[in-house]
Amino acid sequence: MTDTDTTPVLAAVDLVAGYIPEVDILRGCTGHVGKGELVGVIGPNGAGKSTLIKAMFGLVPVRSGRVMLGEKDITALPAHALVSEGLGYVPQNDNVFPSLTVEENLEMGIYLRPKEFRTRYAAVSDLFPLVSDRRSQKCGSLSGGERQVVAMGRALMTDPTVLFLDEPSAGLSPMMQDTVFESVRTINQSGVSILMVEQNASKCLEIAHRGYVLDQGRNAYEGTGEELLNDPKVIELYLGTLAKI
Ligand SMILES: Nc1ncnc2c1ncn2[C@@H]1O[C@H](COP(=O)(O)OP(=O)(O)OP(=O)(O)O)[C@@H](O)[C@H]1O
Ligand SMILES: [Mg+2]
């Protein structure tokens, strides 16, 4: 495990957010990611996990509460400005361009700073040799796990300090899931702080330093990954139905 520091690099404070007027999906969500931390967010379908990431990343309007990056209030900033501030995001669905090659997908990750492409491509290839081994392959012909690696690689092109991952293991076989979680750990060990939303609650909490359980847009439980994995209430209410080992 990398050295971690629970002083928040990124924090959500009492976030209230939603898509449709007067319907709040997040109803007071609070949490943070410390320096070098890998933080997991679990919870049932529709709990608001993806919405939490989108609200923190400027993709869903925040109605009240704050998003803080260190001492800076970044609540109202749009996603492209947050990328310049050092945040990266890998969405839950459609996170690669299938008709583009692996290399082109990574180019898209840094199209605003093309001069940095070579250096960043080399750095990401060091972490994930797949991106250079398969550089000319169209992403549509990659396996699900390989696509996740490309999607994460693309988000790493801007050299983020904090990365949001939304369900990186979704739709993958158990073996592929293990590989993807290993990749997530590799990214974290390279020094990137991570907030990862996951349906595979058990595996998520196994690799997370800390975790939050979200239910109906609110924090239900929080603790270290180990505490949550062993908490009888969390097991009864969430892990029993969510764990997909
Ligand atoms: N674009 C949207 N417009 C309106 N409502 C939405 C939109 N996206 C999500 N919602 C609603 O917000 C609620 C929370 O959705 P969200 O995607 O955040 O849940 P989740 O915890 O990520 O679920 P899952 O585990 O299924 O991915 C759901 O009731 C969903 O229907
Ligand atoms: Mg989701």
Side-chain angles (χ1 to χ4, degrees):
M1 246 179 216
T2 41
D3 285 342
T4 59
D5 177 348
T6 52
T7 312
V9 281
L10 181 72
V13 187
D14 283 334
L15 272 196
V16 175
Y19 304 88
I20 299 166
E22 290 169 43
V23 181
D24 295 336
I25 301 297
L26 297 183
R27 300 188 294 159
C29 228
T30 294
H32 72 272
V33 184
K35 190 163 182 286
E37 266 195 320
L38 170 46
V39 173
V41 178
I42 63 166
N45 291 120
K49 304 181 299 295
S50 296
T51 306
L52 172 64
I53 290 187
K54 289 183 208 164
M56 294 181 83
F57 196 65
L59 297 172
V60 173
V62 172
R63 292 178 179 155
S64 67
R66 293 190 315 279
V67 184
M68 301 294 294
L69 184 62
E71 300 290 305
K72 183 170 180 176
D73 190 332
I74 58 165
T75 316
L77 294 185
H80 65 86
L82 294 174
V83 170
S84 306
E85 293 285 341
L87 302 190
Y89 167 51
V90 182
Q92 181 168 352
N93 299 309
D94 304 325
N95 55 19
V96 293
F97 298 98
S99 60
L100 300 184
T101 65
V102 169
E103 185 174 4
E104 288 163 347
N105 264 272
L106 267 65
E107 264 175 32
M108 295 295 282
I110 195 151
Y111 72 99
L112 290 175
R113 286 145 49 186
K115 282 189 186 148
E116 293 172 40
F117 172 73
R118 275 183 192 288
T119 321
R120 290 305 304 153
Y121 191 77
V124 174
S125 303
D126 279 349
L127 276 190
F128 301 122
L130 176 119
V131 304
S132 47
D133 294 349
R134 306 284 190 89
R135 68 193 309 151
S136 303
Q137 189 171 338
K138 293 259 198 307
C139 280
S141 65
L142 295 173
S143 74
E146 289 164 350
R147 278 187 217 194
Q148 283 298 344
V149 168
V150 173
M152 293 191 283
R154 193 181 61 222
L156 290 174
M157 289 298 282
T158 53
D159 200 11
T161 48
V162 184
L163 189 59
F164 294 111
L165 299 176
D166 195 347
E167 309 245 7
S169 82
L172 301 180
S173 68
M175 209 152 71
M176 276 288 187
Q177 291 188 10
D178 286 343
T179 313
V180 166
F181 284 124
E182 209 38 63
S183 303
V184 172
R185 222 206 280 251
T186 302
I187 296 170
N188 179 237
Q189 286 172 346
S190 77
V192 181
S193 309
I194 296 177
L195 183 71
M196 173 171 67
V197 158
E198 256 299 329
Q199 283 267 342
N200 191 326
S202 302
K203 282 191 182 157
C204 171
L205 295 176
E206 272 168 29
I207 66 165
H209 298 106
R210 287 188 308 111
Y212 296 92
V213 182
L214 210 65
D215 204 345
Q216 297 180 50
R218 287 200 179 93
N219 296 50
Y221 295 90
E222 63 182 88
T224 64
E226 204 178 339
E227 281 163 1
L228 291 174
L229 275 174
N230 294 305
D231 184 321
K233 278 225 168 62
V234 175
I235 293 170
E236 185 196 331
L237 291 172
Y238 304 101
L239 291 173
T241 51
L242 283 173
K244 290 190 207 157
I245 296 181

